[in-house]
Amino acid sequence: MRCRFTAAEANEKVIIPHQETNCLSPMPEQYAVLGNPVSHSKSPLIHAMFAAQTGQDISYEAIEAPLDGFAATVRQLREAGYKGCNVTVPFKHEAFALAQRHTPEAATAHAVNTLLFADDHILGHNTDGIGLVQDIQHNLGLALHGKSVLLMGAGGTAHGVILPLLQAGATLAIANRSLDKAEQLAASFHQYGKVTSSSYAALDGHVFDCVINATSSSLSNALPPLPEHIFSAGALAYDMMYGRQTPFLEFAARNGAATLADGTGMLVEQAAAAFEFWRGIKPDTRPVLARLRT
Ligand code: NDP
């Protein structure tokens, strides 16, 4: 299953360089997002808007890889001349294993959401945390330095956001339904900053400046068992889920969080970081974010 937006569809006023010239013009360089399922992905639209805005001659499509066929799909893309791909659920750990080299973000996360196909190797990167921190600090205007952050969840995406949160100067507590995973995750990041683990029950009596839902609980309209008094005065409640009201954001609104945010900004910012990683040019995320929000 493939779904593709061209830059022209993203912005009808944009002239695509290869369409302006003759038939000897090079084909656009090809990128894709691989996932299963992936038909819901907004990445083709986002990257088409970035390409239109920056004048980059690329194509970008959503490709559903078979659950047992991620590596084979990547091989086919490389053979077809693709330059890279994004990776989403459930392939981020497989993508990490497939990459022969890793950026520091990917190496610490043990998860990859962006692959760059070089001639002789595959380079794995992780832009989830870069996108989250950019959204909180730049788009929402909330500095993380010195702030206490509760990160709920210990899955693929939580892995990717810990290092950038610590690098931004936050102190981190990780809570997860399966406590052993939170403990292992916290232990593996000790060297990078102040990070602890907790069960949900043990959070009672603690408050945080920022509470981030990196669980997939919102997908099933569930809410992790948070104590009601978890938000400090002025706290941010951030749900990585996007495009719908979630039980966590409703809980946060009822229990005193000052700012509520869904994951739309993170989605656009992690895409921008991937685009820059591939193309060496940073797109302006503001118009893209505004378009997605309407
Ligand atoms: P994973 O499947 O890797 O991890 C799921 C996590 O959620 C686990 O820690 C799991 O706990 C926990 N969990 C699941 N259900 C519940 C529940 N009912 N109560 C408490 N905890 C629960 O998912 P990902 O890390 O890939 O994705 C997490 C979320 O982030 C998703 O909602 C996804 O849509 C979103 N996301 C958003 C992005 C963006 O750009 N905005 C980018 C990527 C992801 P346990 O270990 O105990 O099973």
PDB file of all heavy atoms in Angstrom, residues 63 93 152 156 227:
ATOM      1  N   ILE A  63       4.693   3.526   2.943  1.00  0.00           N
ATOM      2  CA  ILE A  63       4.747   2.145   2.462  1.00  0.00           C
ATOM      3  C   ILE A  63       4.501   1.205   3.633  1.00  0.00           C
ATOM      4  O   ILE A  63       5.212   1.269   4.652  1.00  0.00           O
ATOM      5  CB  ILE A  63       6.119   1.833   1.829  1.00  0.00           C
ATOM      6  CG1 ILE A  63       6.360   2.737   0.611  1.00  0.00           C
ATOM      7  CG2 ILE A  63       6.203   0.359   1.422  1.00  0.00           C
ATOM      8  CD1 ILE A  63       7.723   2.583  -0.027  1.00  0.00           C
ATOM      9  N   HIS A  93      12.845  -0.743  16.536  1.00  0.00           N
ATOM     10  CA  HIS A  93      13.964  -1.542  17.066  1.00  0.00           C
ATOM     11  C   HIS A  93      14.626  -2.347  15.954  1.00  0.00           C
ATOM     12  O   HIS A  93      15.847  -2.503  15.921  1.00  0.00           O
ATOM     13  CB  HIS A  93      13.489  -2.457  18.194  1.00  0.00           C
ATOM     14  CG  HIS A  93      13.097  -1.692  19.430  1.00  0.00           C
ATOM     15  ND1 HIS A  93      13.984  -0.914  20.142  1.00  0.00           N
ATOM     16  CD2 HIS A  93      11.911  -1.560  20.058  1.00  0.00           C
ATOM     17  CE1 HIS A  93      13.358  -0.341  21.152  1.00  0.00           C
ATOM     18  NE2 HIS A  93      12.089  -0.711  21.128  1.00  0.00           N
ATOM     19  N   MET A 152       5.873   9.017  31.173  1.00  0.00           N
ATOM     20  CA  MET A 152       5.101   7.769  31.311  1.00  0.00           C
ATOM     21  C   MET A 152       5.328   6.909  30.078  1.00  0.00           C
ATOM     22  O   MET A 152       5.124   7.376  28.956  1.00  0.00           O
ATOM     23  CB  MET A 152       3.611   8.079  31.437  1.00  0.00           C
ATOM     24  CG  MET A 152       3.255   8.884  32.659  1.00  0.00           C
ATOM     25  SD  MET A 152       1.465   8.978  32.837  1.00  0.00           S
ATOM     26  CE  MET A 152       1.023  10.083  31.536  1.00  0.00           C
ATOM     27  N   GLY A 156       9.224   2.139  22.559  1.00  0.00           N
ATOM     28  CA  GLY A 156      10.181   2.626  21.562  1.00  0.00           C
ATOM     29  C   GLY A 156      10.315   4.133  21.556  1.00  0.00           C
ATOM     30  O   GLY A 156      11.427   4.665  21.456  1.00  0.00           O
ATOM     31  N   PRO A 227      -1.788   9.629  40.151  1.00  0.00           N
ATOM     32  CA  PRO A 227      -2.444  10.337  41.256  1.00  0.00           C
ATOM     33  C   PRO A 227      -2.929  11.708  40.783  1.00  0.00           C
ATOM     34  O   PRO A 227      -2.332  12.309  39.883  1.00  0.00           O
ATOM     35  CB  PRO A 227      -1.334  10.471  42.304  1.00  0.00           C
ATOM     36  CG  PRO A 227      -0.064  10.169  41.615  1.00  0.00           C
ATOM     37  CD  PRO A 227      -0.367   9.413  40.367  1.00  0.00           C
TER      38      PRO A 227
END
